[in-house]
Amino acid sequence: MRKYILALLVPVVWACSPATETEEAHNHEAEPETEAHTVFTNSSEFFVEHPVLLEGEEAGFRVHVTRLSDYRPYEGSLQMNVNGNPLPPVAPQQPGIFLVPVTPKEHGEAHIDLVLEHPEGRDAVHLHVHVGEAGEDHDHAGEAGAGHLHEEGEDSHNHPAEVPALGVVTFLKEQAWKSDFRVDPVQKEALTEVTPTSGELLPAPGKISSLSAPVRGVVHFVDPNLVQGGKVARGSHLFTIRGSDLPGENLELELARASTRLDESRQRYQRHALLEKNGAVSRRTLEESRTAYVNDSLYRTDLARLGGPEGVRVSAAASGSIHELSVSEGMFIEAGTNLLTLSSDRFLLLRADLPQQFADRAADIASANFRLTYGDQTLAMEEFHGKHLSTGLSVAENNHYLPVYFELENDGRLMEGAFAEVYLLSAPSDSAVVIPNSALLEELGNLFVYVQVGGETYRKQIIRAGRTDGLRTEVLEGLHEGDRIVTRGPVLLKAASVVVGTAAHDHSH
């Protein structure tokens, strides 16, 4: 397993003020100097602090263990081996923090193994530390260096490396674990060809339905608060159309007449059926009365389906939002008049406007990221099970853009009619140093990130940015592959630097 070690020697001033319950466990006796080491495995970060080690003198090792997948403290049991001699396992003094007392028996280089048993498995790291002779001047500790990065298999002695003092801020593990905070290594990734443009969310074709009037009459709203943009459920009663408000258009009266005719034709048919058995009427007369009875029954049923004494009920044939309301209370309408248009909430179209100068990229467009005008977060097409439908091959009249259409499945975050900044994605390019946009901060026109230089120390680093797809940005200068940067919560470090400035080196817990 590959692991990386960053050892940092810094002067630390332990806070002597009263501590909170959380901070109390992290207070130390005053120490003139403290050595710190940061070791990474594939799944964890070990941040180890200890005073300068002297032969025969007890020293306390403080080990902070962070789970990299969610940047939260590890629970479990920690065992330390010093030069192959195991010490008793210890439980965390508080989540993620283990205190291990160590008394070196010999001076010189000591080999320390830390093994953490936790619910997810087991993690192990290795440290090399210097143990001084009894009574040795602590100033020798400066030889440990300020920052050494090495891979397993290298000489594990710490070698000098420059760590700039200016722009460095301390952010304690306890603070990071309680915040929306995360550190990730910089990687090289393929960044697709990006074309920034604008767009709009539209109702999806085939997902719009119209509701028409079945009869002529006067419209009455069932719900007076029925307005454009409102939600309706399938089968809900929306309108009543009444012909009784108009001379000669009284559906209610016609329904009563049809009911009377139906009663008369039923009685006639029943009488003829009895008479035909006795030979009093012909078979033909019986069939004629039966046909009249069936026709009157069908007519009465059709009228009843349209409405009752209160008028004709008009209900929604589908669920959705009211895209357009075409009538108002008391309006006279003819049969077939459009009452309203419903659009499905579930599917929407994203139309992006591709400038003509980028027409050569049209065939390669496969996806897009977008940021809505009413939000500050860039969204990926994949979040909405989106798919590219088509790219227009001609420019419409009075329009200088080629339309590019995507279908999105709405999860409630999208609003029909909203405008958006769109990043059209086409063919992947060569790999480049790429970081998430959540890591970027801006100050005086410069973009910068925070680079981790120790377990709890971070350096402000100005970068030069290249392309962006709205979610990630290419870094042309300022970072290298493998650098560890703050990808969530960099504003917390910026706030901390404003409060404490360069005094942030004081390691007060």
Side-chain angles (χ1 to χ4, degrees):
M1 178 172 57
R2 294 164 63 90
K3 54 179 177 286
Y4 303 90
I5 300 179
L6 182 62
L8 182 65
L9 177 67
V10 294
V12 176
V13 179
W14 303 108
C16 299
S17 58
T20 64
E21 181 179 350
T22 301
E23 294 170 334
E24 185 175 357
H26 208 159
N27 289 336
H28 299 261
E29 298 296 332
E31 299 281 357
E33 290 175 337
T34 297
E35 293 184 21
H37 311 263
T38 305
V39 190
F40 296 94
T41 70
N42 291 333
S43 59
S44 61
E45 173 192 328
F46 286 72
F47 173 53
V48 184
E49 300 172 293
H50 62 83
V52 172
L53 302 177
L54 295 177
E55 178 184 3
E57 294 187 10
E58 183 178 292
F61 276 66
R62 181 177 298 273
V63 183
H64 311 68
V65 191
T66 303
R67 183 172 50 241
L68 296 179
S69 61
D70 59 2
Y71 220 80
R72 289 295 180 264
Y74 257 131
E75 298 286 354
S77 174
L78 180 73
Q79 184 174 41
M80 177 183 289
N81 292 279
V82 182
N83 291 329
N85 299 314
L87 300 178
V90 297
Q93 188 185 47
Q94 64 186 74
I97 300 178
F98 301 82
L99 298 181
V100 185
V102 177
T103 303
K105 297 180 179 180
E106 300 176 353
H107 65 274
E109 186 177 83
H111 299 268
I112 295 180
D113 293 295
L114 296 171
V115 180
L116 178 69
E117 302 283 351
H118 53 81
E120 289 86 357
R122 181 177 183 272
D123 275 294
V125 296
H126 184 76
L127 295 176
H128 291 188
V129 298
H130 176 77
V131 179
E133 296 186 44
E136 183 177 342
D137 189 346
H138 288 194
D139 288 343
H140 80 279
E143 298 172 2
H148 170 59
L149 182 68
H150 79 88
E151 296 185 9
E152 186 178 20
E154 291 185 349
D155 185 341
S156 59
H157 286 286
N158 299 326
H159 302 283
E162 294 183 1
V163 176
L166 294 178
V168 175
V169 62
T170 294
F171 195 64
L172 306 183
K173 290 300 181 190
E174 295 94 318
Q175 295 173 295
W177 292 337
K178 293 178 180 178
S179 310
D180 185 17
F181 191 84
R182 186 182 178 95
V183 177
D184 288 298
V186 174
Q187 299 179 348
K188 281 191 173 182
E189 301 177 19
L191 189 66
T192 59
E193 186 70 45
V194 181
T195 306
T197 184
S198 59
E200 182 181 3
L201 289 175
L202 305 171
K207 308 300 180 182
I208 298 179
S209 60
S210 296
L211 186 62
S212 302
V215 296
R216 68 193 307 241
V218 176
V219 175
H220 296 279
F221 282 51
V222 175
D223 181 0
N225 296 320
L226 195 67
V227 295
Q228 185 172 331
K231 310 284 187 182
V232 299
R234 180 177 181 178
S236 57
H237 182 192
L238 304 179
F239 307 99
T240 298
I241 302 176
R242 294 175 184 157
S244 59
D245 299 334
L246 301 171
E249 297 292 340
N250 195 331
L251 177 65
E252 295 79 358
L253 180 58
E254 182 62 24
L255 180 61
R257 291 172 178 170
S259 298
T260 300
R261 285 197 300 269
L262 177 60
D263 290 339
E264 292 175 351
S265 61
R266 181 189 301 112
Q267 294 172 8
R268 184 181 305 111
Y269 170 65
Q270 291 172 347
R271 186 174 64 255
H272 285 175
L274 292 174
L275 293 174
E276 192 270 339
K277 289 181 180 180
N278 299 322
V281 295
S282 66
R283 184 70 181 176
R284 179 177 179 180
T285 300
L286 176 63
E287 291 299 328
E288 289 176 350
S289 62
R290 181 179 180 277
T291 300
Y293 166 60
V294 171
N295 290 338
D296 288 344
S297 178
L298 292 174
Y299 183 64
R300 169 64 176 78
T301 301
D302 286 342
L303 287 179
R305 181 178 55 82
L306 290 176
E310 300 83 11
V312 177
R313 295 166 57 94
V314 182
S315 301
S319 299
S321 299
I322 299 177
H323 181 69
E324 182 179 2
L325 188 61
S326 306
V327 296
S328 58
E329 175 69 23
M331 177 184 291
F332 169 75
I333 57 171
E334 295 286 350
T337 300
N338 183 54
L339 301 174
L340 56 77
T341 302
L342 289 176
S343 62
S344 170
D345 293 325
R346 186 176 176 188
F347 294 96
L348 292 174
L349 275 189
L350 173 64
R351 189 205 67 222
D353 298 321
L354 179 66
Q356 292 184 49
Q357 61 265 36
F358 299 118
D360 58 332
R361 303 180 184 178
D364 297 325
I365 293 174
S367 186
N369 299 325
F370 59 98
R371 184 172 64 187
L372 301 168
T373 52
Y374 56 82
D376 56 1
Q377 183 181 7
T378 300
L379 306 171
M381 190 72 57
E382 291 72 21
E383 294 182 49
F384 304 92
H385 304 99
K387 60 181 179 180
H388 175 228
L389 295 180
S390 65
T391 299
L393 300 179
S394 62
V395 178
E397 185 178 357
N398 300 323
N399 190 326
H400 303 289
Y401 301 95
L402 296 173
V404 184
Y405 291 101
F406 302 89
E407 184 181 71
L408 306 176
E409 187 173 342
N410 190 6
D411 61 1
R413 289 181 289 170
L414 306 180
M415 183 172 63
E416 180 187 327
F419 292 94
E421 296 177 19
V422 183
Y423 303 90
L424 295 173
L425 309 179
S426 51
S429 64
D430 295 335
S431 63
V433 174
V434 175
I435 63 174
N437 285 3
S438 59
L440 292 171
L441 293 174
E442 184 176 0
E443 186 175 78
L444 301 177
N446 294 318
L447 291 176
F448 68 92
V449 299
Y450 281 102
V451 180
Q452 185 179 23
V453 294
E456 296 179 334
T457 51
Y458 303 85
R459 172 172 51 85
K460 184 177 178 181
Q461 175 65 52
I462 294 177
I463 66 164
R464 186 164 71 89
R467 299 163 296 164
T468 181
D469 63 6
L471 296 174
R472 303 173 301 161
T473 294
E474 178 185 17
V475 178
L476 302 177
E477 293 180 3
L479 291 176
H480 299 90
E481 186 178 11
D483 289 343
R484 304 188 72 88
I485 64 170
V486 178
T487 56
R488 281 212 307 259
V491 69
L492 299 174
L493 297 183
K494 184 176 181 180
S497 67
V498 171
V499 173
V500 297
T502 57
H505 290 286
D506 291 347
H507 196 140
S508 300
H509 292 258

